[in-house]
Amino acid sequence: RSYRMQVISFTGDHLPESVPEERSMSWARYKVAITKYKEEELTSSNLYSQNEMWSPKVDFSEFIKDNESIENEDLVAWITTGFLHIPHAEDIPNTVTVGNGGGVILRPHNYFNEDPSVHSPDAMYLHPDVSPNSCENNRVACLEKEVCTPSLPKFTYNGFEGVMKFED
């Protein structure tokens, strides 16, 4: 029983290890690294690494070198995500990052014996032979008949009518 990390967007390779400046971003060597939790290893980098690339205050590669056992320990997952940005004319005067993204999804992996949503109280059973408006199988279809359901007006949208006035 475990969890899996699903990385949404990987970064590219930054610099070869032979380049002296690479030590300041040694975290980029690894897409995923798992280490034992240590109070003195809280960040993979440092704000001042950009100014002191040749002898960084935090060298992430040192976290990995000790090759400690992680069995029955509190763990830290160091995950590198990112995206490739290709500069283009529309970057001027500023680079819009909408549509770019990355991240990680932590998902159960053989953690449950079956889909846990089967036992959800909000589950509904739909079958081609049964009407989707049947209260027997779809409680959501019968909310109007519930005593405690609030009576809300139907939603309408008229754009910005009456909100903003523009002169001709």
Side-chain angles (χ1 to χ4, degrees), residues 3 10-11 29 33 37 45-46 63 65 68 72 74 77 79 87 91 97 107 120 123 136 167:
Y3 284 91
F10 285 113
T11 57
R29 295 178 198 169
Y37 174 81
S45 186
N46 185 285
F63 296 8
K65 277 186 180 174
E68 293 177 297
N72 295 320
D74 290 334
I79 303 168
D91 284 345
T97 56
R107 301 177 66 180
S120 172
E136 182 181 335
E167 295 180 22

Side-chain angles (χ1 to χ4, degrees), residues 38-50:
K38 293 181 182 173
E39 190 69 37
E40 65 275 8
E41 295 178 352
L42 297 178
T43 62
S44 62
S45 186
N46 185 285
L47 176 66
Y48 302 107
S49 291
Q50 62 185 344

